[in-house]
Amino acid sequence: MIVSPSSSLIRGRLAQLAAHLVVALIALVVVGGATRVMEAGLACPDWPLCYGSLLPGRQMNLQVFLEWFHRVDAFVVGIALLVQFAAALIWRSQLPRWLPVVSGVMVILVVLQGGLGALTVLQLLPSEVVTAHLTVGLTLVAVMSGLTQCLFSTSRVSAPLWWKLMGGASLLFVMLQCLLGGRMAT
């Protein structure tokens, strides 16, 4: 007889994975920003490899490392999001109905993000593509943060409307400030 894990255990593990993904996504945005500031966006001239290999040896310097590490972190995040989506599908009967849908949207966003990352290299850093890449990155952080909070929350009481509106407005202003800074850098 196969024993299915309890729904609270599954939800708890997925909440932990989501929390780790928030940290990884924030690190990804920070490393991406450092890559931009250090003018390392084209340090790896090809995509998805870097100088035709998974690990650039002789070409490795700080700029190449930043661009290469940004790609590796993005790959790990993508795999973790696929694991989260698969788990949400496998145990969907024991999880909130919204979780497989949101996890699927996250996978689509990360695929879009990878495509935009490829375009930034292949089209030699066009401003619009770089800004779109940052926008999707910030959206991934915001959605994963919300998903994590929902998974960790055990309360059935919803926050007051004014609290949600203030939080949404704050998020919007921070994202706009980041995007404005990104556009100014180009």
Side-chain angles (χ1 to χ4, degrees):
M1 176 204 278
I2 298 175
V3 177
S4 177
S6 73
S7 62
S8 61
L9 176 64
I10 295 167
R11 186 177 178 137
R13 293 292 165 95
L14 284 174
Q16 290 173 347
L17 174 60
H20 284 91
L21 276 165
V22 169
V23 173
L25 284 164
I26 291 170
L28 192 55
V29 170
V30 168
V31 172
T35 301
R36 184 76 175 155
V37 168
M38 296 291 294
E39 297 181 1
L42 296 175
C44 294
D46 50 347
W47 192 93
L49 301 175
C50 187
Y51 288 98
S53 68
L54 291 175
L55 179 62
R58 290 179 290 165
Q59 296 86 0
M60 189 65 81
N61 59 34
L62 179 59
Q63 288 181 316
V64 172
F65 176 78
L66 282 171
E67 175 65 13
W68 172 81
F69 185 76
H70 184 65
R71 293 178 186 188
V72 169
D73 191 15
F75 177 77
V76 170
V77 165
I79 296 298
L81 283 169
L82 284 172
V83 168
Q84 179 187 49
F85 180 53
L89 287 177
I90 291 168
W91 289 295
R92 68 182 166 271
S93 65
Q94 299 176 15
L95 294 167
R97 287 183 177 178
W98 53 264
L99 187 57
V101 174
V102 174
S103 296
V105 168
M106 295 293 289
V107 169
I108 291 168
L109 283 175
V110 86
V111 168
L112 173 64
Q113 183 70 336
L116 289 169
L119 285 176
T120 61
V121 173
L122 299 175
Q123 292 187 354
L124 306 177
L125 302 173
S127 174
E128 297 79 17
V129 176
V130 171
T131 302
H133 188 61
L134 177 59
T135 302
V136 175
L138 293 172
T139 302
L140 282 163
V141 171
V143 173
M144 186 56 69
S145 295
L147 186 146
T148 302
Q149 291 173 17
C150 289
L151 284 173
F152 274 121
S153 175
T154 57
S155 173
R156 299 272 185 223
V157 178
S158 181
L161 179 61
W162 68 269
W163 184 263
K164 292 177 183 179
L165 291 173
M166 292 298 288
S170 298
L171 174 64
L172 180 65
F173 287 133
V174 167
M175 287 180 72
L176 288 173
Q177 181 64 40
C178 290
L179 293 173
L180 181 61
R183 288 292 287 174
M184 294 294 290
T186 61

